[in-house]
Amino acid sequence: MGERLNRTQEAEGSNPSSSTSPFRYILPLLFMAALILWLYAPSLGFQFVWDDEAVLVNNPDVRQPGLEGIWNLLRHSLYQGRNFFSYYRPFYSLTFWLDYRLWGLNPFGYHLENVLLHILNAFLLFFLIHRFTGSARGALLGGTLYSLHPLHAASVAYIAGRADLLAVLGLLSMVLSFQRKRDLVALASYVLALGSKETALIGPILLTISRPREETPRFPWKRGCPFLGITAFYLLLRLALLRGSLPADSSFVPASSIRLGLPWILLTDLRILFFPTATRLWYVLPASATQTNLWWLLAASSCAAAFAFWISLWNRFPPARPALAWFAVTLLGSVPLWFPTRTPVSEHWLILPLMGLSLLAALLVVPSRKESPRKWLAVWCLLFALAAAWTRTVHRSLSMWEDSSALFARLVEVVPRSPSLYANLAESIRRSGRIDLALEAAALAAASNPEEEVAWIVLAVGSYEQGHYAQSEWAASQAIRIQKRMQSQGYWIRGLAQSASMRPDEAEDSLKKAVEAGPQESEHWSTLASFYAAQGRWEESLQAGQRALRLRPELPRLHEAVAQAYQALGRTEEARQATAFARRLKARLQP
């Protein structure tokens, strides 16, 4: 096969070591870009959903301008202030900081960047495959398979899913730069990948299994040692910054069960990669998969057969070994063998194995082109059929990311025993105005897990909106009792309920505790400012309003509240300036 591959490269004049015009790649790259734009154009009109609120909309570091905001992003965990397992992804957060300067809170720009990142990743994979195959057609085949595959839907249509796109961008750039002996660029790319998602830790392994053909068989360890040093430094930094533990959720699967269910997990991964007829984002480990019964033996036998097929390809096609190694290493690396998780299979974890699969497809097809042109025709016909089928799957998958209600309704179907998902579903339903249904879902979540604080917050807010202030105060007190990440929200809602019940002293105490527990929450400072204004305490109202304004300077209503306090204090000129600035902001926000 190696001799045929070299003849193919020579026939095309596209050997990686030969000089070729870059213009020959324009049409394949434009084709892939147009394909991705056509697939994911509907996502450009989607809104913020799920973790978009935490990592972007309500993240004070993203809104903080200047070097102070950048410094906070570099030293804070992704979900700062939450008392559970978090992430350290500074460059991922930095992209949101930059986008916020460009787009504000217009989700269109964030979705557009996700689509463009997917296009860029497809381009880089095209050039990586070309270095292995020496064939522009083979690179187009692999790049098209990668671009079309439906498992990208969660990473592209979900703004917070950008971590996968950035990690892939960094890893591909690292491998290509390392192959071209541009070690500084490769190191910088690896740092970008690590700062975007933890899966990039596999980077040094990918370097060892994806060496260019012209190098010696031995890996250049002198060039590779800096990557190991960066990995060690990253792990130490992560250990120092992240503190906490996994959340207690009855839907979480222990690591021992995941290891026992490995055959089922691997078969599910292979099914998603080779037969993506429908996407679900998450796949729950069934009880039968963790018991040594007939089904477990069948799954284990199927995995053994797949491994035997992998071994046969390894022995018969030596040029395909880098792709086979890439696929196997990243597939096993996608399984969470050492820590509990809600779902041991997630589609967006399989992007790296998909890259290996795309490279393998190109390597297996390219050598046969000179011997039988009909095979190339058959390949492109098969690819066209896959495009037709996978396009429908992608568009069905995109529908679940259009709004939060659709997303959590779908996730609850996938993980029916998760109180946290029911609580998040209740919150999204409440925001859509269906308070009764939201209260029902939140009550179910709180009954399933009394420590689920989101459920109590939804119950408190929903009850307050319906005028049931005593019930709202009680639910807020339950959230405060848990003493986790939403304690400030509990104090805030309790203060609102006490104020509405004409108990100003208790309301003031609760609102003060809210801003103490959550000093970065502008809404809490704004509520405290309104409370003081209602009592005629304008000096205190001005101070609280200014704190809220420093956190959210883009909100016209905060400028108007400050202007009202200035006016009441007789500071007319300052009141006029604040009012004028609020009017300019309103004019800018109008479509």
Side-chain angles (χ1 to χ4, degrees), residues 535-548:
Q535 293 192 325
R537 298 160 62 179
W538 293 107
E539 190 65 42
E540 294 167 290
S541 175
L542 177 61
Q543 293 176 3
Q546 288 173 334
R547 287 293 300 269

Side-chain angles (χ1 to χ4, degrees), residues 540-587:
E540 294 167 290
S541 175
L542 177 61
Q543 293 176 3
Q546 288 173 334
R547 287 293 300 269
L549 195 58
R550 283 197 292 270
L551 294 170
R552 297 296 298 273
E554 76 281 2
L555 296 181
R557 62 180 177 84
L558 297 183
H559 291 274
E560 291 173 345
V562 169
Q564 183 184 11
Y566 279 136
Q567 188 69 38
L569 292 170
R571 300 162 64 174
T572 308
E573 179 60 26
E574 292 168 298
R576 186 189 64 79
Q577 293 176 359
T579 302
F581 194 81
R583 289 173 180 170
R584 288 197 296 270
L585 284 177
K586 284 183 177 181

Side-chain angles (χ1 to χ4, degrees), residues 213-404:
R213 294 185 298 277
E214 61 269 15
E215 283 196 359
T216 59
R218 289 188 177 183
F219 180 74
W221 289 106
K222 289 184 178 180
R223 295 174 55 206
C225 283
F227 294 89
L228 299 179
I230 289 175
T231 302
F233 176 78
Y234 167 80
L235 292 174
L236 291 175
L237 180 64
R238 178 183 172 82
L239 182 65
L241 289 174
L242 300 185
R243 305 187 185 278
S245 59
L246 285 168
D249 192 327
S250 60
S251 65
F252 270 58
V253 180
S256 57
S257 298
I258 293 175
R259 290 192 288 271
L260 188 60
L262 183 60
W264 179 88
I265 294 172
L266 291 177
L267 282 183
T268 304
D269 287 342
L270 293 174
R271 200 275 301 165
I272 295 171
L273 287 166
F274 287 94
F275 307 104
T277 55
T279 58
R280 300 173 55 189
L281 182 62
W282 287 342
Y283 294 78
V284 179
L285 185 68
S288 59
T290 60
Q291 302 171 1
T292 53
N293 50 24
L294 178 60
W295 293 110
W296 188 92
L297 292 174
L298 287 174
S301 301
S302 301
C303 287
F307 180 69
F309 180 70
W310 183 88
I311 290 293
S312 68
L313 288 177
W314 183 276
N315 293 328
R316 291 182 59 190
F317 305 106
R321 287 178 181 177
L324 289 168
W326 183 304
F327 178 76
V329 168
T330 55
L331 183 64
L332 290 174
S334 69
V335 182
L337 294 173
W338 311 112
F339 56 89
T341 181
R342 181 180 287 116
T343 53
V345 177
S346 188
E347 289 165 355
H348 63 99
W349 294 348
L350 298 176
I351 293 179
L352 291 179
L354 176 61
M355 292 161 59
L357 185 62
S358 302
L359 174 59
L360 178 62
L363 285 169
L364 292 178
V365 170
V366 163
S368 64
R369 187 185 68 86
K370 294 296 292 181
E371 296 180 358
S372 178
R374 294 181 181 178
K375 289 188 177 180
W376 269 109
L377 179 61
V379 165
W380 291 116
C381 289
L382 176 61
L383 190 61
F384 180 80
L386 286 176
W390 287 359
T391 297
R392 297 182 60 188
T393 305
V394 168
H395 287 166
R396 287 200 304 269
S397 302
L398 292 180
S399 62
M400 69 182 289
W401 298 103
E402 189 169 359
D403 58 65
S404 295

Side-chain angles (χ1 to χ4, degrees), residues 6 58 72 114 139-140 232 327 433-434 450 505 525 530 541-542 550:
N6 292 332
N58 298 322
N72 288 336
N114 277 22
L140 178 59
F327 178 76
R434 294 173 289 176
D505 293 339
W525 287 106
S530 300
S541 175
L542 177 61
R550 283 197 292 270

